Amino acid sequence: MRGTILYGPGDVRVEDRPDPVIKEPTDAVIRTVATCVCGSDLWPYRGIDQLAKPRPYGHEYVGIVEEVGERVTTLTPGQFVVGGFYASDGTCAHCRAGFQFSCVNSSPFDGCQSELIRIPQADGTLFATPTLPDEELIPSLLALSDVMSTGWHAAVSANVQSGATVVVVGDGAVGLCAVLAARELGAERIIAMSRHESRQRIATDFGATDIVETRGDEGVAAVMELTDGVGADAVCEAVGTGESMTQAVRVVRPGGMVGVVGVPHGVELPLRQMFFGNVGVKGGPASVAQYLPTLLDKVLSRQIEPGKVFDLELPLEQVAEAYAAMDERRAIKVLLRP
Amino acid sequence: MRGTILYGPGDVRVEDRPDPVIKEPTDAVIRTVATCVCGSDLWPYRGIDQLAKPRPYGHEYVGIVEEVGERVTTLTPGQFVVGGFYASDGTCAHCRAGFQFSCVNSSPFDGCQSELIRIPQADGTLFATPTLPDEELIPSLLALSDVMSTGWHAAVSANVQSGATVVVVGDGAVGLCAVLAARELGAERIIAMSRHESRQRIATDFGATDIVETRGDEGVAAVMELTDGVGADAVCEAVGTGESMTQAVRVVRPGGMVGVVGVPHGVELPLRQMFFGNVGVKGGPASVAQYLPTLLDKVLSRQIEPGKVFDLELPLEQVAEAYAAMDERRAIKVLLRP
């Protein structure tokens, strides 16, 4: 099959690779219908995260079940499936508590930017749609594999309640999905911090009621003005830098929560400021399997269309251009078709 | 009147000071029935926090209303009152949201380790008992001024739910009160981390089901063994050092919350570890006015007896000995009588 290998900073290629096979009786192999590039793929692509050696890349996918191991009970070949960006068994204490990323049988994927993917713990990881979905739903279903589930996780971690005022820091695909999640969870006011017109349009389409273009002291002042000096009930942080985390902590009201889904890179929290404001921080890798039943319903019933975050579609063979377009911010998120 | 001045490390004295008077129409002046020394008073006493100049000290009290300003509507002279360790008006957006420490009209106290105390924002800060309480209830009522409310805040911030497994890090008065709070909030299993036999006894009396005497790697292993390798649903952190915070983060289960009430001193959170475990941290100065109605009921109905944390009682004149006894860990918490 053809599959993506990330060699190092700025060097990503599609190559011939061995077809994946069932290794464990709980595995499935799926034929990729669509995959994509994640903002987090850019950390090693930019050389900020170090790669020990070249490795297969990508962790988002939708596909058709090709083959299942003998202990897989919920899936059959030919079904269309969505799954999270890591494997989880769905039965251990952490899965049952809704934190599947910490599954005791978790295991990483081979690269998903490829024609075929081996999915471990298939029963806990993959969710089949009732029928083969319409072509136009593919981008939104693919978004559930990571970005929409992660945006949802940000809003859940930030304890977004009905009627709440929410700030979203970060206007990448995840930040935009957090706006959509906040709307679906009943937020009354959603302030998106974004400096890019094309992203502002999607944010507004997803439910943002206000846009703040400034950052730092000015950004804080703008949010405070919009909230009568109180601050936001909940803040979704979808970047992961020290700057964005500090921005998030400064715009939340006393006693509020910051939901964090940007992988922290060189972040030091302003801990005393948080303490004296009773500001909480919670988050991490999304509980995809926890949210998939709800989010699948919302996509299949056309209540939400998170696939709008894909503003460029390329053949898998052009993966290098896909990474470059996102790196250079020419695209928000690139969908790849094998 | 006689009142306490903290001069610097190891130097605390009772002196003649001017009687406090009503300065604002929202003030009250109370005659102290009992006051005490707080673990946080030891930071400057030990020279860890720097004092710019000598200042009146103490922030915990129960007393009798002596005089009220003309805009005070809920209190009359002669009433017995308990109040929190800071003033809050009870009406601003932050007070209404239950985070009174961030009250827009908050103001600090003059030292409460004295015969008379001026309390600003008396209507929002002080709560009167229906009648003059029995003498034997005084220590427990005094505990509501800070330590019991703070222990409650730790448990609330850690999101302790009915049936939960809770770890309490710190066996000072606040940690012990967090054990009691966890019990009252319905925790099924309460693991107190304590190396001191006298404190272990109170912890057990307050509802601890297990005691862990070890710390660091050994302490983590002990908690993990007690929780079948899962970790605690909620952890109350009542110390505020880097060591204790790390301990707290390491014993909570994935997706769990650490409720923090120890003022952070030189703490750097293990942020990536927290992130990949979806561990949340929340807390700060307690919402005393929020909890006082509930906690007053529990004390007056003799459902809880947080006053047991006072294991030494001295006349106010011996305040120096009170600080020394707590500094040298000869006492858990010292009650002072003017």
mmCIF file of all heavy atoms in Angstrom, chain A residues 1 17-30 66-69 110 116-120:
data_model
loop_
_atom_site.group_PDB
_atom_site.id
_atom_site.type_symbol
_atom_site.label_atom_id
_atom_site.label_comp_id
_atom_site.label_asym_id
_atom_site.label_seq_id
_atom_site.Cartn_x
_atom_site.Cartn_y
_atom_site.Cartn_z
ATOM 1 N N MET A 1 0.852 -1.199 0.000
ATOM 2 C CA MET A 1 0.000 0.000 0.000
ATOM 3 C C MET A 1 0.887 1.249 0.000
ATOM 4 O O MET A 1 2.078 1.178 0.263
ATOM 5 C CB MET A 1 -0.885 0.015 1.260
ATOM 6 C CG MET A 1 -0.074 0.219 2.531
ATOM 7 S SD MET A 1 -1.050 0.854 3.920
ATOM 8 C CE MET A 1 0.243 1.188 5.119
ATOM 9 N N ARG A 17 4.628 0.826 1.311
ATOM 10 C CA ARG A 17 4.857 0.210 2.627
ATOM 11 C C ARG A 17 4.111 -1.124 2.649
ATOM 12 O O ARG A 17 3.169 -1.332 1.885
ATOM 13 C CB ARG A 17 4.327 1.104 3.742
ATOM 14 C CG ARG A 17 5.117 2.413 3.929
ATOM 15 C CD ARG A 17 4.563 3.175 5.126
ATOM 16 N NE ARG A 17 4.547 2.311 6.298
ATOM 17 C CZ ARG A 17 3.594 2.311 7.226
ATOM 18 N NH1 ARG A 17 2.571 3.123 7.137
ATOM 19 N NH2 ARG A 17 3.647 1.494 8.260
ATOM 20 N N PRO A 18 4.524 -2.020 3.546
ATOM 21 C CA PRO A 18 3.819 -3.313 3.601
ATOM 22 C C PRO A 18 2.362 -3.116 4.022
ATOM 23 O O PRO A 18 2.074 -2.258 4.865
ATOM 24 C CB PRO A 18 4.571 -4.101 4.672
ATOM 25 C CG PRO A 18 5.594 -3.194 5.251
ATOM 26 C CD PRO A 18 5.641 -1.919 4.488
ATOM 27 N N ASP A 19 1.453 -3.890 3.453
ATOM 28 C CA ASP A 19 0.060 -3.843 3.906
ATOM 29 C C ASP A 19 -0.002 -4.277 5.372
ATOM 30 O O ASP A 19 0.638 -5.257 5.761
ATOM 31 C CB ASP A 19 -0.799 -4.825 3.093
ATOM 32 C CG ASP A 19 -1.134 -4.269 1.705
ATOM 33 O OD1 ASP A 19 -0.645 -3.162 1.373
ATOM 34 O OD2 ASP A 19 -1.869 -4.952 0.978
ATOM 35 N N PRO A 20 -0.762 -3.548 6.183
ATOM 36 C CA PRO A 20 -0.931 -3.992 7.573
ATOM 37 C C PRO A 20 -1.755 -5.281 7.622
ATOM 38 O O PRO A 20 -2.600 -5.506 6.754
ATOM 39 C CB PRO A 20 -1.686 -2.836 8.225
ATOM 40 C CG PRO A 20 -2.343 -2.098 7.115
ATOM 41 C CD PRO A 20 -1.510 -2.319 5.897
ATOM 42 N N VAL A 21 -1.476 -6.095 8.636
ATOM 43 C CA VAL A 21 -2.226 -7.353 8.803
ATOM 44 C C VAL A 21 -2.718 -7.459 10.242
ATOM 45 O O VAL A 21 -2.236 -6.750 11.127
ATOM 46 C CB VAL A 21 -1.329 -8.581 8.492
ATOM 47 C CG1 VAL A 21 -0.933 -8.590 7.019
ATOM 48 C CG2 VAL A 21 -0.087 -8.585 9.383
ATOM 49 N N ILE A 22 -3.700 -8.317 10.457
ATOM 50 C CA ILE A 22 -4.193 -8.589 11.812
ATOM 51 C C ILE A 22 -3.050 -9.230 12.609
ATOM 52 O O ILE A 22 -2.520 -10.272 12.212
ATOM 53 C CB ILE A 22 -5.399 -9.562 11.756
ATOM 54 C CG1 ILE A 22 -6.547 -8.976 10.908
ATOM 55 C CG2 ILE A 22 -5.869 -9.960 13.153
ATOM 56 C CD1 ILE A 22 -7.280 -7.817 11.518
ATOM 57 N N LYS A 23 -2.656 -8.583 13.729
ATOM 58 C CA LYS A 23 -1.604 -9.163 14.573
ATOM 59 C C LYS A 23 -2.182 -9.756 15.843
ATOM 60 O O LYS A 23 -1.705 -10.735 16.371
ATOM 61 C CB LYS A 23 -0.595 -8.072 14.962
ATOM 62 C CG LYS A 23 0.318 -7.631 13.836
ATOM 63 C CD LYS A 23 1.326 -6.606 14.360
ATOM 64 C CE LYS A 23 2.130 -5.990 13.226
ATOM 65 N NZ LYS A 23 2.936 -4.841 13.703
ATOM 66 N N GLU A 24 -3.196 -9.070 16.374
ATOM 67 C CA GLU A 24 -3.851 -9.530 17.597
ATOM 68 C C GLU A 24 -5.302 -9.848 17.253
ATOM 69 O O GLU A 24 -5.874 -9.211 16.361
ATOM 70 C CB GLU A 24 -3.844 -8.417 18.660
ATOM 71 C CG GLU A 24 -2.475 -7.893 19.029
ATOM 72 C CD GLU A 24 -1.674 -8.900 19.835
ATOM 73 O OE1 GLU A 24 -2.303 -9.772 20.471
ATOM 74 O OE2 GLU A 24 -0.423 -8.818 19.796
ATOM 75 N N PRO A 25 -5.916 -10.768 17.991
ATOM 76 C CA PRO A 25 -7.312 -11.132 17.685
ATOM 77 C C PRO A 25 -8.303 -10.000 17.919
ATOM 78 O O PRO A 25 -9.452 -10.087 17.503
ATOM 79 C CB PRO A 25 -7.593 -12.308 18.637
ATOM 80 C CG PRO A 25 -6.529 -12.248 19.686
ATOM 81 C CD PRO A 25 -5.339 -11.596 19.065
ATOM 82 N N THR A 26 -7.843 -8.921 18.581
ATOM 83 C CA THR A 26 -8.708 -7.751 18.826
ATOM 84 C C THR A 26 -8.491 -6.646 17.784
ATOM 85 O O THR A 26 -9.085 -5.577 17.879
ATOM 86 C CB THR A 26 -8.412 -7.185 20.237
ATOM 87 O OG1 THR A 26 -6.998 -7.107 20.401
ATOM 88 C CG2 THR A 26 -9.001 -8.077 21.321
ATOM 89 N N ASP A 27 -7.660 -6.907 16.777
ATOM 90 C CA ASP A 27 -7.372 -5.919 15.726
ATOM 91 C C ASP A 27 -8.454 -5.882 14.653
ATOM 92 O O ASP A 27 -9.183 -6.859 14.453
ATOM 93 C CB ASP A 27 -6.075 -6.276 14.974
ATOM 94 C CG ASP A 27 -4.819 -6.033 15.792
ATOM 95 O OD1 ASP A 27 -4.919 -5.449 16.891
ATOM 96 O OD2 ASP A 27 -3.739 -6.443 15.316
ATOM 97 N N ALA A 28 -8.512 -4.765 13.944
ATOM 98 C CA ALA A 28 -9.201 -4.703 12.657
ATOM 99 C C ALA A 28 -8.251 -4.034 11.664
ATOM 100 O O ALA A 28 -7.365 -3.268 12.061
ATOM 101 C CB ALA A 28 -10.496 -3.912 12.765
ATOM 102 N N VAL A 29 -8.429 -4.323 10.397
ATOM 103 C CA VAL A 29 -7.739 -3.560 9.353
ATOM 104 C C VAL A 29 -8.819 -2.840 8.553
ATOM 105 O O VAL A 29 -9.839 -3.456 8.196
ATOM 106 C CB VAL A 29 -6.889 -4.463 8.443
ATOM 107 C CG1 VAL A 29 -6.388 -3.686 7.213
ATOM 108 C CG2 VAL A 29 -5.706 -5.037 9.224
ATOM 109 N N ILE A 30 -8.632 -1.552 8.347
ATOM 110 C CA ILE A 30 -9.617 -0.787 7.571
ATOM 111 C C ILE A 30 -8.969 -0.189 6.326
ATOM 112 O O ILE A 30 -7.761 0.073 6.300
ATOM 113 C CB ILE A 30 -10.280 0.331 8.413
ATOM 114 C CG1 ILE A 30 -9.286 1.431 8.784
ATOM 115 C CG2 ILE A 30 -10.933 -0.240 9.675
ATOM 116 C CD1 ILE A 30 -9.944 2.669 9.380
ATOM 117 N N GLU A 66 -12.014 -3.895 6.530
ATOM 118 C CA GLU A 66 -11.502 -4.839 5.527
ATOM 119 C C GLU A 66 -11.470 -6.252 6.130
ATOM 120 O O GLU A 66 -11.856 -7.216 5.497
ATOM 121 C CB GLU A 66 -10.085 -4.375 5.152
ATOM 122 C CG GLU A 66 -9.426 -5.111 4.030
ATOM 123 C CD GLU A 66 -9.701 -4.497 2.664
ATOM 124 O OE1 GLU A 66 -10.464 -3.507 2.575
ATOM 125 O OE2 GLU A 66 -9.159 -5.025 1.665
ATOM 126 N N GLU A 67 -11.043 -6.322 7.385
ATOM 127 C CA GLU A 67 -10.831 -7.624 8.019
ATOM 128 C C GLU A 67 -10.850 -7.409 9.531
ATOM 129 O O GLU A 67 -10.423 -6.355 10.000
ATOM 130 C CB GLU A 67 -9.448 -8.146 7.580
ATOM 131 C CG GLU A 67 -9.203 -9.599 7.892
ATOM 132 C CD GLU A 67 -7.755 -10.027 7.583
ATOM 133 O OE1 GLU A 67 -7.017 -9.232 6.940
ATOM 134 O OE2 GLU A 67 -7.368 -11.114 8.022
ATOM 135 N N VAL A 68 -11.368 -8.369 10.272
ATOM 136 C CA VAL A 68 -11.339 -8.243 11.732
ATOM 137 C C VAL A 68 -10.724 -9.483 12.357
ATOM 138 O O VAL A 68 -10.825 -10.594 11.803
ATOM 139 C CB VAL A 68 -12.760 -8.019 12.331
ATOM 140 C CG1 VAL A 68 -13.360 -6.708 11.845
ATOM 141 C CG2 VAL A 68 -13.678 -9.194 12.036
ATOM 142 N N GLY A 69 -10.093 -9.299 13.525
ATOM 143 C CA GLY A 69 -9.537 -10.417 14.285
ATOM 144 C C GLY A 69 -10.660 -11.266 14.872
ATOM 145 O O GLY A 69 -11.811 -10.823 14.963
ATOM 146 N N ASP A 110 -0.026 2.650 13.819
ATOM 147 C CA ASP A 110 0.843 2.944 12.688
ATOM 148 C C ASP A 110 0.253 4.179 12.025
ATOM 149 O O ASP A 110 -0.881 4.565 12.312
ATOM 150 C CB ASP A 110 0.858 1.773 11.697
ATOM 151 C CG ASP A 110 1.715 0.634 12.203
ATOM 152 O OD1 ASP A 110 2.571 0.900 13.091
ATOM 153 O OD2 ASP A 110 1.534 -0.473 11.721
ATOM 154 N N LEU A 116 -4.279 1.740 4.012
ATOM 155 C CA LEU A 116 -4.847 0.738 4.927
ATOM 156 C C LEU A 116 -4.314 1.028 6.325
ATOM 157 O O LEU A 116 -3.189 1.499 6.491
ATOM 158 C CB LEU A 116 -4.411 -0.674 4.517
ATOM 159 C CG LEU A 116 -4.988 -1.226 3.195
ATOM 160 C CD1 LEU A 116 -4.167 -2.420 2.734
ATOM 161 C CD2 LEU A 116 -6.460 -1.631 3.400
ATOM 162 N N ILE A 117 -5.128 0.740 7.355
ATOM 163 C CA ILE A 117 -4.700 1.011 8.734
ATOM 164 C C ILE A 117 -5.067 -0.181 9.612
ATOM 165 O O ILE A 117 -6.189 -0.688 9.544
ATOM 166 C CB ILE A 117 -5.404 2.265 9.313
ATOM 167 C CG1 ILE A 117 -5.324 3.443 8.339
ATOM 168 C CG2 ILE A 117 -4.788 2.658 10.655
ATOM 169 C CD1 ILE A 117 -6.258 4.597 8.710
ATOM 170 N N ARG A 118 -4.121 -0.574 10.442
ATOM 171 C CA ARG A 118 -4.425 -1.580 11.462
ATOM 172 C C ARG A 118 -4.874 -0.854 12.731
ATOM 173 O O ARG A 118 -4.177 0.027 13.224
ATOM 174 C CB ARG A 118 -3.192 -2.439 11.781
ATOM 175 C CG ARG A 118 -3.488 -3.547 12.808
ATOM 176 C CD ARG A 118 -2.258 -4.413 13.084
ATOM 177 N NE ARG A 118 -1.286 -3.735 13.911
ATOM 178 C CZ ARG A 118 -1.253 -3.793 15.256
ATOM 179 N NH1 ARG A 118 -2.143 -4.505 15.910
ATOM 180 N NH2 ARG A 118 -0.315 -3.139 15.929
ATOM 181 N N ILE A 119 -6.071 -1.193 13.220
ATOM 182 C CA ILE A 119 -6.606 -0.562 14.427
ATOM 183 C C ILE A 119 -6.650 -1.600 15.551
ATOM 184 O O ILE A 119 -7.445 -2.540 15.504
ATOM 185 C CB ILE A 119 -8.041 -0.024 14.193
ATOM 186 C CG1 ILE A 119 -8.108 0.933 12.993
ATOM 187 C CG2 ILE A 119 -8.598 0.618 15.465
ATOM 188 C CD1 ILE A 119 -7.482 2.292 13.221
ATOM 189 N N PRO A 120 -5.818 -1.427 16.578
ATOM 190 C CA PRO A 120 -5.888 -2.345 17.726
ATOM 191 C C PRO A 120 -7.161 -2.060 18.537
ATOM 192 O O PRO A 120 -7.749 -0.985 18.423
ATOM 193 C CB PRO A 120 -4.643 -2.006 18.550
ATOM 194 C CG PRO A 120 -3.794 -1.140 17.660
ATOM 195 C CD PRO A 120 -4.731 -0.459 16.719
#
